[in-house]
Amino acid sequence: MKLTALDALQIFDSRGHPTIEVIATLEDGTVGRGLVPSGASTGSHEAWELRDRDPRRFQGRSVFKAIGHVTDEIAPALAGHDAFDQAAIDAALIALDGTPNKSRLGANAILGVSLAVAQAAARARCLPLHASLGSGTLLPLPEIQIFGGGKHAQGRIDIQDFMIVALTATSYAETLEVAANVFHAAAEVMRDRGKLAGVADEGGYWPLFDRNEEVFDALLASIERAGYTPGREVGLSLDIAATDLHRDGFYRLGLEGRRFSSEDFAALMIDWVDRYPIVSIEDPMSEDDWEGWRLVRDAIGHRCQLIGDDLFTTHLDRIERGIAAGVANAVLIKLNQIGTVTETLAAIRRTQAAGWLPVVSARSGETEDAFIAHLAVATDAGQLKVGSFSRSERLAKWNEVLRIERDLGPRARFIGAGIFETAGIRLPGATV
Ligand code: 2PG
Ligand code: MG
């Protein structure tokens, strides 16, 4: 099925910043759209997001150059290509760009095209997107944010994501029931403590806390208030986003005025896992602190998921290096960190082949699009992270998985927290 036209327009993400939407048209008239998300706590090894940097327009954030690259350069180059051959489409995009980090055409332009073609191909095949992308049927275990911090809350607290994982839920729908109960209980806890003040970028409560560890107390209280036992029915999951805390060779918790060496920060992460029912930590250490990562993995990798986000940036070479060095046991998967659907699928497959866990993730700047819900199911990834339980750009993804669950009917599988065991991670206290 031939790709006949590509067009693009500037739309806005969930923070009100410009982003790109690409529209792909096939020879039978089928149309697919690709809506590109955008991060705030970005790793320096990510593919390049092209912005116009014109201070007079959208604070320099407009994407008109990227749009021009789609319409003037990519569209004529790809016209006539087979839209059913995603790998060839993506290879052509990579070759046309010609840079290692997609900085010439812009990873946002390239990903928009890649996503739009994938969606158009699914529609032309009369398949749901997940069935067109892969043959997976495993519904993901969600990591759901309750408090947002770090760059998603203007540095109000240092740690970026305080999330929960439903450990004993027996269906995807049940994980959302647990999330809803804890999320609303957290509002009551914050209100009682005089700390309720709206939500951060990903929909978790704005963190009016004085110490990072105060958040653990509020989180545990919220879980209990919702009627669950922390560590039994509900586990904690953190994204430290430690790259953002690392400056001049030290990790800094600004809220508490504390500074740590790599060894000391690793020791703090290990201490938290000892003291709190934490089942997963993302980016406990900075993006190039491979030695620090090793310390954490050696100490707690057998009982806690350790996810590399800025460390790997969904990049196959970095994932290979991480597997060889044994520094983590899971990889955060973000389409726009690498820039094409095909490379993202390859990153997931490599992660799984190593016996590690892929965690499909949204960005802090999201759109109404729910591509990643389909990606998670299509690849049997097993886990999905899209922020909190408020703001429709978040719920669009959680809800989409409910639709997929319904569409798959008896073919849908759910193993919940059993996914951790598949990677040899034994959670203390969990009864799955
Ligand atoms: C992360 C993501 C999503 P951002 O760090 O995992 O929470 O944030 O999109 O800002 O990189
Ligand atoms: Mg992260």
Side-chain angles (χ1 to χ4, degrees), residues 1 14 16 30 51 104 151-152 159 180 213 241 245 292 316 390 393:
M1 177 72 65
S14 54
T30 306
R51 298 217 176 251
R104 195 179 75 76
K151 279 195 175 154
H152 304 163
I159 309 307
E213 290 182 37
L245 308 178
L316 207 49
S390 77
E393 80 279 4

Side-chain angles (χ1 to χ4, degrees), residues 318-329:
R318 293 185 68 86
I319 296 169
E320 288 294 357
R321 178 174 170 191
I323 291 166
V327 293
N329 53 31

Side-chain angles (χ1 to χ4, degrees), residues 41 160-161 239 241 282-283 309-310 332 334 385:
S41 66
Q160 183 180 284
D161 292 305
D239 182 358
E282 179 180 328
D283 283 356
D309 172 11
D310 294 348
L332 205 74
K334 290 168 170 167
K385 174 194 177 197

Side-chain angles (χ1 to χ4, degrees), residues 332-388:
L332 205 74
I333 300 291
K334 290 168 170 167
L335 285 148
N336 80 326
Q337 279 184 328
I338 188 65
T340 64
V341 171
T342 303
E343 289 166 289
T344 305
L345 293 171
I348 294 173
R349 274 195 301 269
R350 182 67 190 99
T351 301
Q352 290 170 323
W356 286 18
L357 301 174
V359 181
V360 173
S361 173
R363 298 308 306 236
S364 51
E366 265 298 329
T367 72
E368 59 273 33
D369 182 64
F371 192 98
I372 57 171
H374 290 268
L375 179 68
V377 176
T379 56
D380 286 332
Q383 292 177 82
L384 182 62
K385 174 194 177 197
V386 302
S388 193

